[in-house]
Amino acid sequence: MLTHALVTRVIFQGKRATGVEIAHDGKTRRIGAGLEVVLSLGAIHTPKVLMQSGIGDQVELQRFGIPLVQHLPGVGQNFQDHFRSTCIWEYEQPLPPRNNGGEATFFWKSDPGLNTLDLQTCQVEVPACSAETAARFNPPASSWTLLAGVVQPKSRGQIRLTGPDPLDPVQIHDNLLSHSDDMKAAIVCVELCREIGNSAALRPYAKREVMPGNLKGADLENFIRDAATTYSHETCTAKMGRDSMSVVDSHLKVYGIGNLRHYRRTCRRDAESRA
């Protein structure tokens, strides 16, 4: 175990992974692998390291002069994330946050005909909103939130390099709400949150609804886009499968490369929502 070390590239002999290159204490070092290399860097940095190592779309790598080791056009593609918009109420009487500040949640369907639940709402004991909606609605500090989340998103994005150097940042094109079904589901969830937040049962805790209010049509859609933030459940940029955009097989081995696997541990709900 080596802390404060940045993995920059995978080292190869031909098409067999033999170790990794790291930046540590101001120096570049190479560490050999006795058996195999397992990348577990998450949905952002795994594709980054793969591409900087020469594994990815050939045209994309050629843009930065990265020598191709294996053409896998799916690396960095298929980006998915859970997003949420926020509905906020001002407390009737301010209450201090307790424990982790958000211990109530529920799942629901945007359409009764769906086979699985596609909405999740979390209640948060403080105001939580995007920079755009904070500037527009200016929620008081003594407010609480219902996060209107979509957990079966159909929108897909991608991770792209900005340069060949390991310190060059990646571009995250999340494309949230690019699929029309995601907007439809988000509208249902916001309306459901407003119904619950404005209900008689919660009236003792709600002095007033701060946002979004009774918006309809394009105004509601614009609010949802402005309010959208992430649950930070990014995934699927090195997907398992058998099609041309797959990166790993059922044993997590990177296609076309020996001794290299990609492993990402995730919560069960997150994995099921991406199946």
Side-chain angles (χ1 to χ4, degrees), residues 58-269:
Q58 182 175 7
V59 174
E60 187 73 7
L61 299 184
Q62 285 177 342
R63 293 176 56 218
F64 302 108
I66 298 174
L68 181 70
V69 176
Q70 179 65 33
H71 174 61
L72 286 179
V75 174
Q77 302 296 315
N78 197 43
F79 176 90
Q80 302 173 47
D81 194 8
H82 289 152
F83 68 91
R84 75 274 178 102
S85 297
T86 52
C87 305
I88 295 179
W89 287 261
E90 185 178 2
Y91 281 107
E92 181 66 43
Q93 295 292 331
L95 297 174
R98 296 178 299 170
N99 300 323
N100 68 6
E103 298 182 335
T105 187
F106 68 85
F107 292 86
W108 204 247
K109 291 182 180 181
S110 63
D111 183 336
L114 294 175
N115 293 325
T116 58
L117 302 165
D118 67 329
L119 305 179
Q120 181 186 12
T121 292
C122 298
Q123 190 272 336
V124 181
E125 298 171 15
V126 296
C129 56
S130 66
E132 291 82 357
T133 51
R136 176 180 173 184
F137 293 93
N138 191 27
S142 57
S143 300
W144 54 274
T145 303
L146 288 179
L147 301 175
V150 176
V151 296
Q152 294 282 1
K154 296 180 180 179
S155 301
R156 299 292 183 265
Q158 62 179 319
I159 305 296
R160 301 187 67 180
L161 296 179
T162 62
D165 191 281
L167 297 181
D168 291 329
V170 295
Q171 291 179 338
I172 303 174
H173 300 274
D174 54 36
N175 286 337
L176 296 181
L177 291 161
S178 59
H179 197 290
S180 60
D181 286 353
D182 291 349
M183 176 59 78
K184 293 176 183 177
I187 289 173
V188 172
C189 200
V190 167
E191 292 176 340
L192 178 60
C193 287
R194 291 194 65 241
E195 180 181 350
I196 293 172
N198 292 322
S199 66
L202 292 181
R203 203 163 293 150
Y205 306 99
K207 180 179 179 180
R208 67 182 178 96
E209 180 183 357
V210 177
M211 59 185 260
N214 191 28
L215 302 178
K216 300 295 182 183
D219 290 337
L220 179 55
E221 291 187 8
N222 289 336
F223 166 80
I224 289 172
R225 294 187 186 281
D226 286 342
T229 54
T230 175
Y231 271 112
S232 296
H233 292 169
E234 303 90 350
T235 189
C236 291
T237 53
K239 77 168 188 172
M240 178 192 297
R242 296 179 178 178
D243 61 18
S244 62
M245 298 301 288
S246 297
V247 177
V248 300
D249 64 16
S250 59
H251 297 285
L252 306 180
K253 294 182 178 180
V254 176
Y255 281 113
I257 301 294
N259 297 354
L260 180 62
R261 299 181 197 247
H262 163 52
Y263 172 75
R264 178 176 184 257
R265 184 175 181 178
T266 185
C267 68
R268 187 174 189 177
R269 171 178 53 93

